[in-house]
Amino acid sequence: FTDKDVYQQSFNPQEYLREYYRLSDSQGKTKTFLMENLRALAKMFSLEGLRGNTLIDVGCGPTIYQLLSACENFEEIIALDYTDQNRRELEKWLKKEAGAFDWRPVVEYVCELEGDRGKWAEKEEKLRKKVRQVLKCDVTKANPTEPVSLPPGDCIVSTLCLEGACKDLATFRSALRNISALVKPGGHLVMITVLRETYYAFSNQVFSCLRLEKNEVEEAVQDAGFDVRFSEVHPCPHSDIRFDCDAVLSLVARK
Ligand code: SAH
């Protein structure tokens, strides 16, 4: 099991982005994976009731793709991650610093899904303005943002985080209860989780992944105080040695 200290020591955000998030020239498998997740996010954030003032992104990593559809529906976004270098990498993009990752192809694709590919620059600016805080968090803590106490938000989004951060199903279930406290009653949880994956790799580093079944995720979500409103599985073709997931689960639940 790759625990959070290993993430802090050896997760290289630039390599991660280069390996998995270059839409323009990435290989077929990761490209399909990313595009499917973007489509799922667009669909989930267009469901009724997925709006409000505050959105909290749990385990944001160095990425912004998970916020591109979401940012149209919320006024303020708070991004949380354990790893210093991942929060720093995100801030580089937010502040348009030199060397920041180029998300333009991804943003263009999401704008195309929303009807106008030409609006990419506008969306980038909107998102940059809305992300108000980037804070440290640990999903294994009862208060993940300790010592900071955040007022509960209207929605939490979490993509590809808990299955990497939790060593077993009991920890996964308790992490869901922990992050549930970050959202108001009546608010939503939007999740993208890989199913039956045991590892993912990039730049000679292997990270462990908790092997999850769809029903295990749904039960954990329900037991954390949510009603599942939307749950969709997309198969993930094998044959890429960089990861061994079987499928991706997109899920929306209401607290
Ligand atoms: N959400 C991004 C990043 C996923 S990578 C994406 O969709 O690509 C997994 C992330 O989980 C990493 O950024 C890592 O720093 C974070 N993480 C690992 N253990 C954690 C913990 N205990 N609490 C919070 N985040 C954790």
Side-chain angles (χ1 to χ4, degrees):
F1 166 65
T2 325
D3 89 343
K4 57 195 182 215
D5 300 321
V6 181
Y7 273 90
Q8 176 62 38
Q9 274 161 29
S10 44
F11 191 97
N12 181 321
Q14 278 122 9
E15 298 285 349
Y16 178 69
L17 293 169
R18 204 170 303 144
E19 190 80 38
Y20 291 113
Y21 291 104
R22 271 195 318 194
L23 196 52
S24 49
D25 51 8
S26 60
Q27 292 161 12
K29 292 280 155 34
T30 48
K31 195 169 170 170
T32 317
F33 182 80
L34 174 57
M35 286 166 85
E36 238 164 41
N37 291 343
L38 293 169
R39 283 197 295 270
L41 286 159
K43 190 168 169 182
M44 293 192 284
F45 280 103
S46 66
L47 294 174
E48 207 190 304
L50 276 110
R51 359 197 106 248
N53 189 64
T54 315
L55 173 75
I56 301 175
D57 183 1
V58 180
C60 57
T63 69
I64 60 141
Y65 75 96
Q66 69 279 19
L67 301 172
L68 292 169
S69 290
C71 76
E72 304 295 335
N73 301 357
F74 296 89
E75 302 314 314
E76 291 183 11
I77 297 170
I78 302 172
L80 310 176
D81 197 88
Y82 185 76
T83 311
D84 297 337
Q85 64 272 26
N86 286 357
R87 297 195 311 278
R88 182 73 200 92
E89 187 66 32
L90 175 63
E91 277 174 348
K92 270 203 233 163
W93 183 83
L94 291 171
K95 294 177 185 155
K96 294 189 177 178
E97 289 177 27
F101 188 70
D102 179 15
W103 285 100
R104 177 173 167 174
V106 174
V107 182
E108 281 180 333
Y109 180 71
V110 174
C111 288
E112 190 180 318
L113 291 176
E114 292 171 1
D116 186 355
R117 192 175 173 88
K119 290 206 164 141
W120 67 272
E122 212 176 292
K123 192 189 266 293
E124 287 196 349
E125 277 325 293
K126 190 181 280 179
L127 178 54
R128 285 190 173 99
K129 282 210 192 81
K130 288 187 175 180
V131 180
R132 301 292 162 81
Q133 299 183 73
V134 182
L135 302 174
K136 188 176 177 86
C137 92
D138 182 349
V139 297
T140 62
K141 296 241 168 82
N143 171 14
T145 56
E146 196 187 61
V148 177
S149 297
L150 285 182
D154 300 287
C155 186
I156 41 181
V157 60
S158 188
T159 56
L160 312 175
C161 170
L162 298 186
E163 60 273 48
C166 300
K167 65 175 187 304
D168 53 28
L169 188 57
T171 312
F172 180 80
R173 292 170 58 85
S174 93
L176 269 165
R177 288 195 295 272
N178 298 340
I179 70 170
S180 165
L182 299 173
V183 67
K184 292 176 190 164
H188 285 91
L189 164 69
V190 174
M191 242 169 98
I192 290 197
T193 308
V194 285
L195 298 178
R196 300 200 197 102
E197 179 172 276
T198 64
Y199 76 92
Y200 68 99
F202 59 97
S203 61
N204 296 322
Q205 297 270 353
V206 182
F207 292 85
S208 67
C209 186
L210 176 63
R211 191 178 189 283
L212 291 162
E213 300 289 343
K214 176 177 189 255
N215 69 303
E216 292 174 327
V217 179
E218 289 176 351
E219 277 167 35
V221 167
Q222 273 152 12
D223 292 346
F226 295 93
D227 290 322
V228 177
R229 282 187 55 195
F230 173 95
S231 173
E232 206 168 84
V233 175
H234 291 273
C236 184
H238 278 267
S239 80
D240 192 311
I241 53 157
R242 286 172 293 172
F243 52 98
D244 66 346
C245 85
D246 243 30
V248 182
L249 174 67
S250 311
L251 179 146
V252 178
R254 185 167 181 269
K255 187 166 162 181

